[in-house]
């Protein structure tokens, strides 16, 4: 069984559209994350979410918003898509970001977003 | 915030030789340092990690060393094999320190020459 899963795997859309990417983890972890990997393979944290506490990387535009319907899910909503949003988006989870020894992060398979 | 520098960006070694990738970090509060391997089109996979109370950790052909004073850590792969070819990322974090997630280096493309 896949520990961290994402849908869709590929997403091609027009500039200006609004889209969502879903993420689910079945590890019972308390913390979930979203990362963006650009065309140069650089991985950058966007959000982390733990027990209703959301920490946002200050460089992330407010067009991006994570939503967590429950502990196992952290979905990413993107409004008014721009060309520069094209990237691979990875979801990840960890047992507990506060506890030493439980901070290991497990990544989902990624969603390849292409904005035309 | 944390800044992680990683070198080299590309490393080509002969099969069977050793490979070393080096990273430095800026935030002395960081205390967790994982290494991820990413094959083409795949997710990053954790291969080894080290915490700041340990200077070295080994797992078969892979080892990581940490120098907290100098704020640098390194990945060592011995007896390299073709399946070791991938992009390797170092990262640093301060779990519970208010900063969120992992700060990654820019990656090293490791090429194993047969």
């Amino acid at each position: 069984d896949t520990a961290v899963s994402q849908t869709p795997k590929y997403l091609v859309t027009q500039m200006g559209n609004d889209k969502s990417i879903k993420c689910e983890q079945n590890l019972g972890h308390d913390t979930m994350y979203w990362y963006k990997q650009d065309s140069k393979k650089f991985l950058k944290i966007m959000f982390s979410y733990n027990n209703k506490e959301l920490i946002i990387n200050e460089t992330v535009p407010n067009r991006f918003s994570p939503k967590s319907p429950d502990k196992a899910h952290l979905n990413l909503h993107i409004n008014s898509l721009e060309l520069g949003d094209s990237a691979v988006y990875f979801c990840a989870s960890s047992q507990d970001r506060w506890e030493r020894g439980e901070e290991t992060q497990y990544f989902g398979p990624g969603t390849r977003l292409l904005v035309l | 915030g944390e800044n992680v520098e990683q070198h080299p960006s590309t490393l080509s070694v002969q099969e069977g030789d050793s490979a070393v990738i080096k990273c430095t970090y800026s935030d002395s509060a960081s205390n967790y340092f994982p290494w991820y391997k990413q094959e083409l089109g795949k997710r990053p996979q954790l291969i080894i990690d080290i915490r700041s109370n340990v200077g070295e950790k080994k797992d078969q052909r892979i080892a990581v060393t940490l120098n907290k004073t100098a704020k640098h850590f390194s990945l060592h792969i011995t007896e390299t094999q073709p399946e070791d070819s991938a992009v390797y990322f170092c990262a640093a974090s301060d779990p519970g320190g208010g900063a969120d997630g992992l700060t990654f280096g820019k990656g090293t493309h490791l090429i194993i020459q047969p």
Side-chain angles (χ1 to χ4, degrees), chain A:
Chain A
D1 284 337
T2 305
V4 183
S5 59
Q6 295 177 229
T7 53
K9 190 172 181 181
Y10 299 97
L11 183 54
V12 182
T13 188
Q14 297 288 331
M15 218 165 38
N17 285 351
D18 302 337
K19 290 293 178 185
S20 295
I21 305 171
K22 295 186 177 181
C23 177
E24 176 182 3
Q25 53 93 7
N26 62 7
L27 298 166
H29 285 172
D30 286 339
T31 305
M32 297 183 73
Y33 311 82
W34 277 103
Y35 288 87
K36 178 181 180 181
Q37 186 169 44
D38 62 22
S39 58
K40 295 182 179 177
K41 304 290 186 189
F42 185 41
L43 271 163
K44 194 167 184 180
I45 183 71
M46 300 177 71
F47 305 99
S48 71
Y49 187 82
N50 173 286
N51 196 26
K52 294 183 171 42
E53 181 188 12
L54 175 67
I55 298 178
I56 303 170
N57 185 314
E58 60 194 13
T59 66
V60 174
N62 58 14
R63 299 181 294 103
F64 291 79
S65 57
K67 293 200 171 32
S68 180
D70 55 58
K71 200 175 103 166
H73 297 84
L74 184 67
N75 303 325
L76 182 65
H77 298 270
I78 315 170
N79 294 327
S80 303
L81 277 156
E82 300 178 357
L83 295 176
D85 297 333
S86 296
V88 181
Y89 292 85
F90 286 99
C91 175
S93 72
S94 65
Q95 177 68 32
D96 186 335
R97 64 186 285 268
W98 302 103
E99 287 294 324
R100 189 183 193 89
E102 295 183 344
E103 65 271 71
T104 300
Q105 292 188 27
Y106 299 90
F107 282 73
T111 296
R112 284 144 189 83
L113 171 65
L114 178 60
V115 182
L116 302 174

Side-chain angles (χ1 to χ4, degrees), chain B residues 84-101:
Chain B
D84 294 331
S85 293
V87 179
Y88 290 80
F89 292 94
C90 63
S93 80
D94 172 23
D100 69 304

Side-chain angles (χ1 to χ4, degrees), chain B residues 5-37:
Chain B
E5 300 282 342
Q6 183 173 347
H7 299 280
S9 56
T10 304
L11 178 59
S12 181
V13 301
Q14 290 293 124
E15 184 178 348
D17 288 350
S18 295
V20 180
I21 302 170
K22 297 183 179 182
C23 290
T24 60
Y25 62 99
S26 61
D27 188 349
S28 55
S30 289
N31 57 11
Y32 174 63
F33 307 93
W35 286 87
Y36 283 83
K37 175 184 180 182

